[in-house]
Amino acid sequence: VQLQASGGGLVQAGGSLRLSCVVSGRTFSRCAMGWFRQAPGKEREFVAAISWNGGSTHYADSVKGRFTISRDNAKNTVYLQMNSLKPDDTAVYYCAADPFLEAYEFGSSQEYEYWGQGTQVTVSS
């Protein structure tokens, strides 16, 4: 299973970006998917996650109401729509996948088996 994240870039505060993560392999439709981010000098933190069928989504408090995670199993792709971006959202964003997660594990990076390479998001003030 390979994950390829894209869609990062430079945006002004208040702007929007949509990240995409394309997953190769036939297990995508059975995988819970997560987005994490890591800012310079900080630990990797949970951003959002979605269950295998899209029926359950979870968000970090810092992004609730601004970010939306979704998936298209026909395209093997998970998305992260980011609105009302703030300078504090600046980080490298990673997508992650795992076929065996329970909902209570969605926010734990150690539980995800597969990771993408990351895409840089920079929000200027």
Side-chain angles (χ1 to χ4, degrees):
V1 177
Q2 292 186 327
L3 287 70
Q4 180 72 41
S6 63
L10 174 64
V11 64
Q12 289 188 332
S16 298
L17 284 174
R18 188 175 81 155
L19 305 183
S20 300
C21 177
V22 179
V23 182
S24 64
R26 293 178 291 178
T27 61
F28 174 77
S29 62
R30 300 197 302 272
C31 285
M33 299 295 301
W35 285 97
F36 292 77
R37 66 187 182 186
Q38 188 167 17
K42 295 186 177 181
E43 294 187 353
R44 188 169 297 188
E45 65 174 1
F46 170 72
V47 176
I50 189 167
S51 61
W52 67 274
N53 63 355
S56 177
T57 56
H58 302 257
Y59 297 92
D61 288 344
S62 59
V63 306
K64 279 181 183 177
R66 300 188 299 122
F67 291 10
T68 303
I69 189 171
S70 61
R71 67 189 296 158
D72 185 339
N73 284 355
K75 295 182 178 180
N76 277 22
T77 303
V78 63
Y79 304 97
L80 185 67
Q81 178 66 44
M82 305 187 295
N83 299 328
S84 302
L85 282 162
K86 305 174 181 180
D88 284 350
D89 295 318
T90 296
V92 177
Y93 283 71
Y94 298 89
C95 58
D98 195 281
F100 301 113
L101 291 187
E102 301 291 340
Y104 70 89
E105 298 173 311
F106 282 2
S108 176
S109 62
Q110 297 96 313
E111 301 299 332
Y112 289 80
E113 181 172 0
Y114 305 108
W115 288 84
Q117 85 290 357
T119 184
Q120 176 71 47
V121 172
T122 303
V123 184
S124 63
S125 57

